[in-house]
Short mmCIF file of all heavy atoms in Angstrom, two decimals:
data_model
loop_
_atom_site.label_atom_id
_atom_site.label_comp_id
_atom_site.label_asym_id
_atom_site.label_seq_id
_atom_site.Cartn_x
_atom_site.Cartn_y
_atom_site.Cartn_z
N ARG A 1 -95.40 21.33 42.87
CA ARG A 1 -95.23 20.76 41.52
C ARG A 1 -93.94 19.98 41.42
O ARG A 1 -93.89 18.89 40.85
CB ARG A 1 -95.25 21.88 40.48
CG ARG A 1 -95.00 21.37 39.06
CD ARG A 1 -95.22 22.46 38.02
NE ARG A 1 -94.87 21.93 36.71
CZ ARG A 1 -93.70 22.16 36.11
NH1 ARG A 1 -92.79 22.91 36.70
NH2 ARG A 1 -93.43 21.65 34.93
N HIS A 2 -92.86 20.50 41.99
CA HIS A 2 -91.59 19.79 41.95
C HIS A 2 -91.69 18.45 42.69
O HIS A 2 -91.13 17.44 42.25
CB HIS A 2 -90.50 20.64 42.58
CG HIS A 2 -89.91 21.64 41.63
ND1 HIS A 2 -88.84 22.43 41.95
CD2 HIS A 2 -90.25 21.97 40.36
CE1 HIS A 2 -88.53 23.21 40.93
NE2 HIS A 2 -89.38 22.95 39.96
N THR A 3 -92.42 18.45 43.79
CA THR A 3 -92.60 17.20 44.54
C THR A 3 -93.37 16.18 43.72
O THR A 3 -92.99 15.00 43.66
CB THR A 3 -93.33 17.48 45.86
OG1 THR A 3 -92.57 18.41 46.63
CG2 THR A 3 -93.50 16.19 46.66
N LEU A 4 -94.44 16.62 43.08
CA LEU A 4 -95.23 15.71 42.25
C LEU A 4 -94.41 15.17 41.09
O LEU A 4 -94.49 13.99 40.75
CB LEU A 4 -96.48 16.44 41.73
CG LEU A 4 -97.55 16.76 42.77
CD1 LEU A 4 -98.65 17.62 42.15
CD2 LEU A 4 -98.15 15.48 43.35
N LEU A 5 -93.60 16.03 40.50
CA LEU A 5 -92.75 15.59 39.40
C LEU A 5 -91.78 14.52 39.86
O LEU A 5 -91.59 13.49 39.20
CB LEU A 5 -91.98 16.78 38.82
CG LEU A 5 -92.78 17.79 38.00
CD1 LEU A 5 -91.92 19.01 37.69
CD2 LEU A 5 -93.28 17.17 36.72
N ALA A 6 -91.15 14.77 40.99
CA ALA A 6 -90.14 13.83 41.48
C ALA A 6 -90.76 12.49 41.86
O ALA A 6 -90.17 11.44 41.63
CB ALA A 6 -89.41 14.44 42.68
N VAL A 7 -91.96 12.53 42.45
CA VAL A 7 -92.58 11.31 42.96
C VAL A 7 -93.28 10.52 41.86
O VAL A 7 -93.28 9.28 41.87
CB VAL A 7 -93.56 11.66 44.09
CG1 VAL A 7 -94.36 10.43 44.53
CG2 VAL A 7 -92.82 12.25 45.28
N VAL A 8 -93.89 11.22 40.91
CA VAL A 8 -94.73 10.55 39.92
C VAL A 8 -94.08 10.51 38.54
O VAL A 8 -93.86 9.43 37.97
CB VAL A 8 -96.11 11.24 39.83
CG1 VAL A 8 -96.98 10.56 38.77
CG2 VAL A 8 -96.82 11.22 41.18
N LEU A 9 -93.76 11.66 37.98
CA LEU A 9 -93.37 11.71 36.57
C LEU A 9 -91.95 11.24 36.31
O LEU A 9 -91.67 10.67 35.26
CB LEU A 9 -93.55 13.13 36.03
CG LEU A 9 -95.00 13.62 35.94
CD1 LEU A 9 -95.07 14.98 35.27
CD2 LEU A 9 -95.87 12.62 35.19
N VAL A 10 -91.03 11.46 37.23
CA VAL A 10 -89.67 10.98 37.01
C VAL A 10 -89.62 9.46 36.89
O VAL A 10 -89.02 8.92 35.95
CB VAL A 10 -88.71 11.50 38.09
CG1 VAL A 10 -87.37 10.76 38.03
CG2 VAL A 10 -88.48 12.99 37.91
N PRO A 11 -90.24 8.70 37.82
CA PRO A 11 -90.24 7.24 37.64
C PRO A 11 -90.92 6.79 36.35
O PRO A 11 -90.45 5.86 35.69
CB PRO A 11 -91.01 6.75 38.88
CG PRO A 11 -90.82 7.81 39.89
CD PRO A 11 -90.81 9.09 39.12
N VAL A 12 -92.01 7.44 35.99
CA VAL A 12 -92.70 7.08 34.73
C VAL A 12 -91.79 7.33 33.54
O VAL A 12 -91.69 6.52 32.62
CB VAL A 12 -94.02 7.88 34.60
CG1 VAL A 12 -94.60 7.70 33.20
CG2 VAL A 12 -95.03 7.43 35.65
N THR A 13 -91.10 8.47 33.56
CA THR A 13 -90.16 8.80 32.48
C THR A 13 -89.06 7.76 32.38
O THR A 13 -88.72 7.29 31.28
CB THR A 13 -89.56 10.20 32.71
OG1 THR A 13 -90.57 11.18 32.47
CG2 THR A 13 -88.39 10.46 31.78
N LEU A 14 -88.49 7.40 33.50
CA LEU A 14 -87.40 6.42 33.48
C LEU A 14 -87.86 5.08 32.92
O LEU A 14 -87.16 4.46 32.11
CB LEU A 14 -86.85 6.23 34.90
CG LEU A 14 -86.06 7.40 35.47
CD1 LEU A 14 -85.72 7.16 36.93
CD2 LEU A 14 -84.79 7.64 34.67
N VAL A 15 -89.04 4.63 33.30
CA VAL A 15 -89.55 3.34 32.83
C VAL A 15 -89.85 3.39 31.34
O VAL A 15 -89.40 2.52 30.56
CB VAL A 15 -90.81 2.93 33.62
CG1 VAL A 15 -91.48 1.72 32.96
CG2 VAL A 15 -90.45 2.61 35.05
N ARG A 16 -90.59 4.41 30.89
CA ARG A 16 -91.01 4.47 29.49
C ARG A 16 -89.83 4.65 28.54
O ARG A 16 -89.74 3.98 27.51
CB ARG A 16 -92.03 5.60 29.29
CG ARG A 16 -93.36 5.40 29.99
CD ARG A 16 -94.35 6.45 29.58
NE ARG A 16 -94.73 6.29 28.18
CZ ARG A 16 -95.35 7.23 27.47
NH1 ARG A 16 -95.62 8.40 28.01
NH2 ARG A 16 -95.67 7.01 26.21
N HIS A 17 -88.92 5.55 28.89
CA HIS A 17 -87.82 5.83 27.97
C HIS A 17 -86.75 4.75 28.02
O HIS A 17 -86.08 4.47 27.02
CB HIS A 17 -87.25 7.21 28.26
CG HIS A 17 -88.16 8.33 27.88
ND1 HIS A 17 -89.24 8.70 28.64
CD2 HIS A 17 -88.20 9.13 26.78
CE1 HIS A 17 -89.89 9.70 28.06
NE2 HIS A 17 -89.27 9.98 26.93
N THR A 18 -86.59 4.11 29.17
CA THR A 18 -85.68 2.97 29.23
C THR A 18 -86.21 1.82 28.39
O THR A 18 -85.43 1.13 27.69
CB THR A 18 -85.48 2.51 30.68
OG1 THR A 18 -84.89 3.57 31.44
CG2 THR A 18 -84.57 1.29 30.75
N ALA A 19 -87.51 1.59 28.44
CA ALA A 19 -88.11 0.53 27.62
C ALA A 19 -87.88 0.79 26.14
O ALA A 19 -87.60 -0.13 25.36
CB ALA A 19 -89.61 0.43 27.91
N TRP A 20 -87.97 2.06 25.74
CA TRP A 20 -87.73 2.42 24.32
C TRP A 20 -86.29 2.12 23.94
O TRP A 20 -86.01 1.51 22.90
CB TRP A 20 -88.06 3.90 24.12
CG TRP A 20 -87.96 4.36 22.70
CD1 TRP A 20 -88.69 3.91 21.63
CD2 TRP A 20 -87.09 5.36 22.17
NE1 TRP A 20 -88.33 4.58 20.48
CE2 TRP A 20 -87.35 5.47 20.79
CE3 TRP A 20 -86.11 6.17 22.75
CZ2 TRP A 20 -86.66 6.36 19.98
CZ3 TRP A 20 -85.44 7.07 21.93
CH2 TRP A 20 -85.71 7.16 20.56
N ILE A 21 -85.35 2.50 24.80
CA ILE A 21 -83.93 2.25 24.53
C ILE A 21 -83.66 0.76 24.41
O ILE A 21 -82.95 0.30 23.49
CB ILE A 21 -83.07 2.87 25.65
CG1 ILE A 21 -83.07 4.40 25.54
CG2 ILE A 21 -81.63 2.34 25.58
CD1 ILE A 21 -82.39 5.10 26.70
N LEU A 22 -84.21 -0.03 25.33
CA LEU A 22 -83.96 -1.47 25.31
C LEU A 22 -84.51 -2.11 24.04
O LEU A 22 -83.88 -3.01 23.45
CB LEU A 22 -84.58 -2.12 26.55
CG LEU A 22 -83.89 -1.78 27.88
CD1 LEU A 22 -84.68 -2.38 29.03
CD2 LEU A 22 -82.45 -2.27 27.89
N ARG A 23 -85.67 -1.66 23.59
CA ARG A 23 -86.23 -2.23 22.36
C ARG A 23 -85.41 -1.84 21.14
O ARG A 23 -85.31 -2.62 20.18
CB ARG A 23 -87.69 -1.79 22.19
CG ARG A 23 -88.64 -2.46 23.17
CD ARG A 23 -90.07 -2.10 22.92
NE ARG A 23 -90.57 -2.59 21.64
CZ ARG A 23 -91.83 -2.44 21.24
NH1 ARG A 23 -92.71 -1.84 22.02
NH2 ARG A 23 -92.21 -2.90 20.06
N LEU A 24 -84.81 -0.66 21.18
CA LEU A 24 -83.95 -0.27 20.06
C LEU A 24 -82.65 -1.07 20.06
O LEU A 24 -82.16 -1.45 19.00
CB LEU A 24 -83.63 1.23 20.14
CG LEU A 24 -84.77 2.21 19.88
CD1 LEU A 24 -84.24 3.63 19.89
CD2 LEU A 24 -85.47 1.92 18.57
N ARG A 25 -82.11 -1.33 21.23
CA ARG A 25 -80.83 -2.03 21.31
C ARG A 25 -80.96 -3.52 21.01
O ARG A 25 -80.09 -4.12 20.39
CB ARG A 25 -80.21 -1.83 22.69
CG ARG A 25 -79.75 -0.41 22.95
CD ARG A 25 -78.87 -0.32 24.18
NE ARG A 25 -77.60 -0.99 23.98
CZ ARG A 25 -76.58 -0.94 24.84
NH1 ARG A 25 -76.71 -0.23 25.94
NH2 ARG A 25 -75.45 -1.57 24.59
N PHE A 26 -82.05 -4.12 21.47
CA PHE A 26 -82.14 -5.58 21.40
C PHE A 26 -83.31 -6.09 20.56
O PHE A 26 -83.44 -7.30 20.37
CB PHE A 26 -82.26 -6.14 22.83
CG PHE A 26 -81.12 -5.72 23.72
CD1 PHE A 26 -81.33 -4.84 24.77
CD2 PHE A 26 -79.84 -6.18 23.49
CE1 PHE A 26 -80.29 -4.44 25.59
CE2 PHE A 26 -78.78 -5.79 24.31
CZ PHE A 26 -79.02 -4.92 25.36
N GLY A 27 -84.14 -5.18 20.07
CA GLY A 27 -85.28 -5.61 19.25
C GLY A 27 -84.86 -5.99 17.84
O GLY A 27 -83.74 -5.71 17.41
N PRO A 28 -85.77 -6.63 17.08
CA PRO A 28 -85.43 -7.06 15.73
C PRO A 28 -85.37 -5.91 14.74
O PRO A 28 -85.97 -4.85 14.95
CB PRO A 28 -86.60 -8.00 15.38
CG PRO A 28 -87.74 -7.47 16.18
CD PRO A 28 -87.14 -6.99 17.48
N THR A 29 -84.63 -6.12 13.68
CA THR A 29 -84.60 -5.17 12.57
C THR A 29 -85.87 -5.33 11.74
O THR A 29 -86.31 -6.43 11.47
CB THR A 29 -83.37 -5.41 11.69
OG1 THR A 29 -82.20 -5.21 12.47
CG2 THR A 29 -83.35 -4.48 10.49
N ARG A 30 -86.45 -4.21 11.35
CA ARG A 30 -87.67 -4.26 10.53
C ARG A 30 -87.27 -4.32 9.05
O ARG A 30 -86.38 -3.59 8.60
CB ARG A 30 -88.53 -3.03 10.77
CG ARG A 30 -88.93 -2.83 12.20
CD ARG A 30 -89.75 -3.98 12.76
NE ARG A 30 -91.02 -4.15 12.07
CZ ARG A 30 -92.00 -4.95 12.48
NH1 ARG A 30 -91.80 -5.70 13.58
NH2 ARG A 30 -93.13 -5.05 11.82
N THR A 31 -87.94 -5.19 8.33
CA THR A 31 -87.66 -5.36 6.91
C THR A 31 -88.93 -5.19 6.10
O THR A 31 -90.04 -5.32 6.63
CB THR A 31 -87.06 -6.74 6.62
OG1 THR A 31 -88.01 -7.75 7.00
CG2 THR A 31 -85.76 -6.95 7.39
N MET A 32 -88.76 -4.92 4.82
CA MET A 32 -89.87 -4.84 3.87
C MET A 32 -89.44 -5.60 2.62
O MET A 32 -88.27 -5.98 2.48
CB MET A 32 -90.21 -3.38 3.56
CG MET A 32 -90.77 -2.63 4.77
SD MET A 32 -91.17 -0.89 4.46
CE MET A 32 -92.61 -1.05 3.39
N PRO A 33 -90.36 -5.88 1.69
CA PRO A 33 -89.99 -6.63 0.49
C PRO A 33 -88.79 -6.02 -0.24
O PRO A 33 -88.58 -4.80 -0.20
CB PRO A 33 -91.26 -6.54 -0.37
CG PRO A 33 -92.37 -6.41 0.62
CD PRO A 33 -91.80 -5.58 1.74
N PRO A 34 -87.98 -6.84 -0.90
CA PRO A 34 -86.74 -6.35 -1.54
C PRO A 34 -86.97 -5.24 -2.57
O PRO A 34 -86.06 -4.43 -2.81
CB PRO A 34 -86.17 -7.61 -2.21
CG PRO A 34 -86.77 -8.75 -1.45
CD PRO A 34 -88.13 -8.30 -1.03
#
């Protein structure tokens, strides 16, 4: 299980959560009517 985690899930985690961070840092601010 540890091997599968290291080979499969760790890279997936890094990609998905890094993408979330980047969108928060550089994505647009959401607005709604005044």
Side-chain angles (χ1 to χ4, degrees):
R1 177 172 176 261
H2 277 186
T3 301
L4 289 174
L5 288 171
V7 173
V8 179
L9 293 186
V10 167
V12 170
T13 289
L14 289 173
V15 170
R16 294 188 67 195
H17 290 78
T18 298
W20 185 62
I21 288 173
L22 291 175
R23 288 184 65 177
L24 291 185
R25 291 193 68 172
F26 304 111
T29 298
R30 303 299 297 190
T31 61
M32 294 179 71

